[in-house]
Amino acid sequence: MPQTIGSTELTQMLRTAAARIRQNHEMLSRLDSFGGDGDHGTTMLRAMTILEKTLEKPAGDPKTLLTDIGWAVMGVDGGATGPLFGTFFTGMADPAAEAIDAGILAAMFEAGLLAVQGLTKARPGDKTMIDALVPAVEAVRAAAEAGDSITQALDKAALAAEQGADATKNMKATFGRAKNIGEKSIGNPDPGATSVSLIFRGFSEGVR
Ligand code: ADP
Ligand code: MG
């Protein structure tokens, strides 16, 4: 029997992702203080607070839920983060269905990534959130094709995102504010990629 999820599980995934960011916002701002303006944690915290508020309303179908969340997050002021993460969620809404199986979930993450890539030319290796997002999305697709359950797929995605974020330590920033410090950005992980890894770890915990 193929495992599917709906608005209830999506809500739980998003809530757990928000909790993960909340627990780690100080670390995220510290990471942003090396090459950026040190606000990434507070901006993410604001985004997640708005996300949680949106989730208090009765959940519609997954499409409506993700569209509402995405627009709410997009409206968060404070630089690049709100639009990038908000667009990921609105992008995910497009292929969403009432009952989401692993294949549909993979299509949703791919659509989210594609939407984000419409906003930025950053590619893997540029030391941005893309370095965690691309491996996470690819992991869900590979898991879906291997016949894994959603739980297994999200486990693999969380691991892939963490590895992707970790690999940004050795990269030189060429996008966002951190590009201003160039070589000096080497040594610490990218804050946005770290946020992506926390969000996917939250998804993986929240779906259980
Ligand atoms: P800002 O840089 O505007 O202060 P934040 O500090 O909230 O925004 O977020 C910084 C993170 O956003 C970076 O670590 C990076 O992952 C991501 N980011 C910033 N600019 C871009 C971009 N042009 N393309 C992709 N990701 C970006
Ligand atoms: Mg910043």
Side-chain angles (χ1 to χ4, degrees), residues 180-197:
N180 299 326
I181 62 161
E183 296 284 344
K184 284 195 205 127
S185 67
I186 297 171
N188 290 297
D190 175 67
T194 308
S195 281
V196 170
S197 75

Side-chain angles (χ1 to χ4, degrees), residues 13 32 34 37 47 63 86 91 99 108 121 126 134 159 192:
M13 284 163 61
D32 192 36
F34 300 129
D37 50 1
K63 249 189 218 301
M108 287 165 63
K121 290 193 165 26
D126 289 328
V134 166
L159 194 66

Side-chain angles (χ1 to χ4, degrees), residues 32 36-40 43 78 81 177 191:
D32 192 36
D37 50 1
D39 67 346
H40 184 64
T43 305
T81 296
R177 294 182 206 267

